[in-house]
Amino acid sequence: MAAPVKTEKLTKVFGKTEALVDLDLEMNQGEVLGYLGPNGAGKTTTIRLLLGILRATSGLARIFGVDAQAEPAKAHERIAYVPGEASLWPGLTGEETLRLLGNIQGNVDVAYREVLIERFNFDPSRKVRTYSRGNRQKLILIAGMMSRADLLLLDEPTAGLDPLMAQAFRVCVDEARGRGQTVFFSSHALSEVEALCDRVAILRGGRLIELGNLHEMRHLSALTIDADLDRIPDQLATLVGVRGLVASDHHVHFHAEGPVEPVLRLLAQAGTEHLLVREPTLEELFLAHYGQAVEEGQNGQ
Amino acid sequence: MASDASSTVVLRQTFRRATRTGLGWGVVFALIVVDSAVGYQMSYPTAQSRAYLVASLEHNVGIAALLGQGRDLGSIAGWIPFHSMASLLPLGAIVGLLTASRLTRAEEDAGRWEYFLSGRTTRLGAAVQAALGLAGGIAVMWIPVAVTAAIVGSYYDAYSTTAALFYAAALVGAPAVFGAVSFLAAQVASSRHQANMIGAAMLGIAYLLRMVSSTAPGLSWLRWVSPLGWIDAMHPVTGTSWPPGLLVAAAALAITSAGIVIASKRDLGAGALPDRETAHSRRFGFGGHAGLDVVLSRSTAIAWIVALAVVSGVFGWISKAGGEAITGSTSAQDMIRRMGVIRAGAAAYLGVTLLMVGATLALGAAAQLGAVRAEEAEGRLDHLLARPVSPRRWLAAKVGVGTAMLVVEAVVAGAAGWVGVSTQGTGLQLGELLQAGVSIVPPALLVLGVGVMIYAVLPRYAAAAGYAIIAWSFLIELVGAVTDLNHWIKDTSLLVHIAPAPAASPDWLSASVMVGIGLVAFAAGLLLFPKRDLAGS
C-alpha cells in the first residue's frame, strides 16, 4: 500500500530564497506527524507543495502514490486541508460554506459534522463576515474534519482557538487516529504536538534537521539534572557530556549527554540529598536545535 | 516627533494615494480637453459646417440626453465643454466613487485601519484625515486640467483664464461630489462591495434624472435633483454660473461631513445600516464551485442588468427624436458615418448608444478579472483548489459564468432598447435589437480572454491589462479623430471593429475574429494557469 505522504528531494526556491531543500519524508498509514519549525522554516511551503498549489522546483511529492504535482485534483480526493488563516466568502453563512465545501470534497459524514458543530459550539446560521477569527477557524476545522479524509493536512489549525476548543480539537485528532486516518500536523503549539504526535519532524531554514519519535529523540538528547549535594565536586564541570552547569550553594543544575553512569557515580560521592533527572520536553528539544542555530549564526558573524 | 507622524498617518496615506490617482486622471482629462479643441477645429473648420452642427445638436433632446445640453456650439468655446463633459462627467463620477471606497472602506476591510486606530488616531480624526486626503486628490486632479484648459483657451483665443479655471472646477465636480457619496456609503455599508453598489445606484439615479430632465420639457426641474444636472447648469466657459458650482461644493462638503459624523459613531469594521448577522441558508448554488460563482456574481449581475435595462430603455424611448436631428444635419451624419452608421433615424441613434454599452460591457469584463484575482489573493481559492477541483475547471467555470453574464446583459440592453423604441413607432424589430445587443459582446470577450491569459502568468496585472486594452482603444479613437493614423494602428482599437447595429449590419466577421482571439488567449490561459504557484493569502 502506498504511503499517505512520500516526498523525495522535494525542493522549492522562491527567487534566491530556498524555502524548502531536499525534503525526504515518508509517513505511515494512521500516524500523526508533528511538523515543527519557526516562522519561515518551510512548514506551510511543504503543505502547499503536497497540495500541488505551489509548483516544486525539483523533487517529488506523492499522496497515496499519486503525484501531487502532476495530478493534484486526484490526490485531493483523499485529503482534507485546514489552513491556519481562514479567509472565506463573507456573504455566505456557516451552513452554506459547510455545504459548499462538503459538496466539493465529495465525502461528508453528516452525522459526524453535527457532532463537530456541537463539540466546537459553533453557530452555522450566521454569516461568515460576522464570525470572530476563532469562529472562522472552527468553521474550516469542521469543514476539514467532516470529510473523514484518509489524510488530514493541518497547518497550524488551532491558531485563534481558545483552550477549550483546542482541547476539542485534540479529541478530533485522537478520533482520526483511532479510525486509521493519517494526520500531518504543522504547529507552534509544542505541548499539543507532544500530546498528539507519534513522530516529530523539525525544520530549520527549509531543511529537515530532525525526524523521529519523541522517545528516540529524548533518548539521544541531554537529560536535565537537578541535585542537592553536601559538596559540589570540582570534576563535575569537566566531566564528558556535562554542559550548562549552574552551581549555587549546595545545588547544581546541568544537562548530561551520553552515558549517565559517570555522572551518577560522581554525584553519589558528593553526598546527594535530592536528585531529579528529567528527559527534555519537546520544547527543550526544539529550543536546543534552534539555540544551536543561533550560536552558529553568532559564530558566523 | 514620531508621535506627530503617527497621528496623521491616515492623512498621509490617503493623500499620497489619492493624489497619485488624481494626477493620473487629471492628465487623462486634460488630454480629452485638448482632443475636443483640436477635433473641433479639424472637423468643423468653416462657418457653414459650424452652423450645421448647431442646427443638429443644440436643442436636440436625444443628444441632450446622451451628452448633456449643448450651448453655443458654433464656437470652440461652446464645443469644448460640451464635448469633453459628455464623457468626463460619468467617467469622473466613477473615478470618484471607486477611489473613495478603495482608500477608505477597502482599507478598513483589509484590517489596516485597525493598526492606525490603535495609535494616536481617533475614529473622528481618521475620518477627517481620509476626507482631507481625498480632497487633496481632487485638488491635484484639477491642476493639469486647469493648466491645459487655460493654455487651450489662450491658444485658440476662445475664453479667459478665469473661465478655464472654472471649467476645470466643473470637470472635477463629478469626482468630488461622487467621491463624497462613496465616502458616505463607505460608512453606511458593511463592505466595500456594498459601498460600491450604493454609490453605483446613486450615480445611476443621478444620470437617469439628468437624462429625463433633458428630454421631457415639463420635467426640466429634475436637473436640480441631480448633481450631474448642477454641473451642467454651471455652464462652464459659455456662461460661468457660480451658484450651481457652489451647490456642488456645498453638497460635497455636506455629504462628506455626514460621513465623518457616522464614521466617528460606528464600530470599526461594521456598517451604520443594520446588517443581518444570521440568514436562512440558501439551497441553490452550493453544489460546486460553478454554483458558487453564480451565487457570488448574482448581486453584481442584477445591478448591471437593471442599470443597462433602464438606460437602454430610455435611449430607445428618445431615439426617434435623436435620430431625426441626425437625419436633418449633414455634419452630424458625417460624424456618425465615420463610426460606420449607414441607416438614419432612430436606428442611427440606437447604434451609437449601443456602442457605448459595448464599451461599458468591456469595462465589466475587466472588473471580472479583478474579482478573479481577488479570490486568489485573499486566500479563498485555496479552499477550493485544496479539494478535488482542477485549476483549469475552476478557471473555465469562472470565465463561463462571466461570459454568460456579459451575454445576458447585452441581450437585455438590446431588448430594453426595443421596448423603449417600440413606443415611438419607428418600425425597428425586436430581432434587430437583440442581434445588435449580441454584436457588442465580442470586445468584452476579447478583454476577458486576454485578461485570463495575463492572469495565468502575472495575476496582479490581469485587471490592469483589461483596462489598458479599453483605454488604448479610446486613445486610438481620440487620436484617430484628429490625425490620420495608420490603419494598422487604428485596427488595434476594439471600438473600430464594432458595427453600430442596428444602424448597420453587425460585422460578424470582425466579431468572430475578436471572439477567436479571446478564445485562443483563454485557452493559453487555461494551459498556463496550473503551471504557476497559487498566490494564497
Side-chain angles (χ1 to χ4, degrees), chain A residues 12 48 53-55 76 81 87-89 91 93 95-96 99-101 103-105 125-127 129 140, chain B residues 275 277-279 281-282 286-288 375 378 380 382-387 389 530-531 533-534 536:
Chain A
K12 180 65 185 176
R48 292 172 76 80
I53 54 183
L54 286 184
R55 310 302 301 163
H76 296 167
Y81 165 58
S87 178
L88 292 158
W89 299 273
T93 64
E95 189 181 339
E96 287 168 346
R99 193 166 346 120
L100 170 77
L101 297 179
N103 284 333
I104 291 173
Q105 187 69 48
S125 68
R126 292 176 58 187
K127 288 190 174 180
R129 69 164 160 264
I140 53 170
Chain B
D275 186 29
E277 292 203 344
T278 60
S281 289
R282 295 159 286 187
F286 301 100
E375 201 72 348
E378 290 165 20
R380 292 185 290 272
D382 283 10
H383 297 290
L384 302 179
L385 297 193
R387 290 181 163 78
V389 174
K531 296 185 189 301
D533 294 341
L534 210 62

Side-chain angles (χ1 to χ4, degrees), chain A residues 9-240:
Chain A
K9 303 284 179 207
L10 188 62
T11 299
K12 180 65 185 176
V13 179
F14 294 105
K16 291 179 180 173
T17 307
E18 292 180 321
L20 192 69
V21 183
D22 291 340
L23 177 70
D24 289 316
L25 183 67
E26 183 166 349
M27 286 184 72
N28 303 313
Q29 177 72 43
E31 83 165 320
V32 180
L33 175 77
Y35 203 58
L36 305 178
N39 296 331
K43 302 187 299 297
T44 299
T45 299
T46 305
I47 290 177
R48 292 172 76 80
L49 285 166
L50 292 176
L51 288 166
I53 54 183
L54 286 184
R55 310 302 301 163
T57 306
S58 60
L60 278 175
R62 294 189 185 280
I63 303 292
F64 294 107
V66 176
D67 186 338
Q69 292 281 305
E71 299 178 276
K74 190 175 178 193
H76 296 167
E77 287 172 8
R78 301 180 69 179
I79 292 178
Y81 165 58
V82 178
E85 205 168 302
S87 178
L88 292 158
W89 299 273
L92 269 54
T93 64
E95 189 181 339
E96 287 168 346
T97 307
L98 288 176
R99 193 166 346 120
L100 170 77
L101 297 179
N103 284 333
I104 291 173
Q105 187 69 48
N107 299 306
V108 176
D109 183 335
V110 177
Y112 189 52
R113 183 186 66 191
E114 298 309 312
V115 169
L116 291 171
I117 287 173
E118 196 164 325
R119 180 178 295 161
F120 284 105
N121 193 21
F122 178 71
D123 176 4
S125 68
R126 292 176 58 187
K127 288 190 174 180
V128 166
R129 69 164 160 264
T130 68
Y131 287 135
S132 65
R133 184 183 174 208
N135 274 320
R136 288 201 302 272
Q137 195 62 28
K138 288 180 194 175
L139 175 55
I140 53 170
L141 260 174
I142 295 168
M145 295 285 185
M146 71 183 182
S147 68
R148 302 277 206 189
D150 295 327
L151 172 63
L152 299 176
L153 291 180
L154 313 178
D155 189 1
E156 298 177 31
T158 53
L161 292 186
D162 64 44
L164 285 175
M165 293 302 123
Q167 182 59 40
F169 163 76
R170 289 183 198 186
V171 173
C172 293
V173 174
D174 274 335
E175 285 173 350
R177 191 209 317 262
R179 288 173 55 91
Q181 292 170 267
T182 307
V183 183
F184 185 101
F185 177 29
S186 151
S187 179
H188 287 301
L190 299 180
S191 60
E192 213 160 55
V193 172
E194 196 163 16
L196 289 172
C197 297
D198 304 311
R199 283 199 299 165
V200 171
I202 299 180
L203 278 181
R204 189 173 70 200
R207 288 175 167 79
L208 184 65
I209 53 166
E210 190 73 70
L211 174 64
N213 66 45
L214 275 172
H215 180 71
E216 288 169 355
M217 288 168 74
R218 283 173 174 145
H219 189 69
L220 295 171
S221 299
L223 296 169
T224 302
I225 298 176
D226 283 274
D228 291 331
L229 308 170
D230 289 341
R231 62 179 176 80
I232 296 175
D234 295 338
Q235 307 95 307
L236 185 59
T238 55
L239 204 60
V240 175

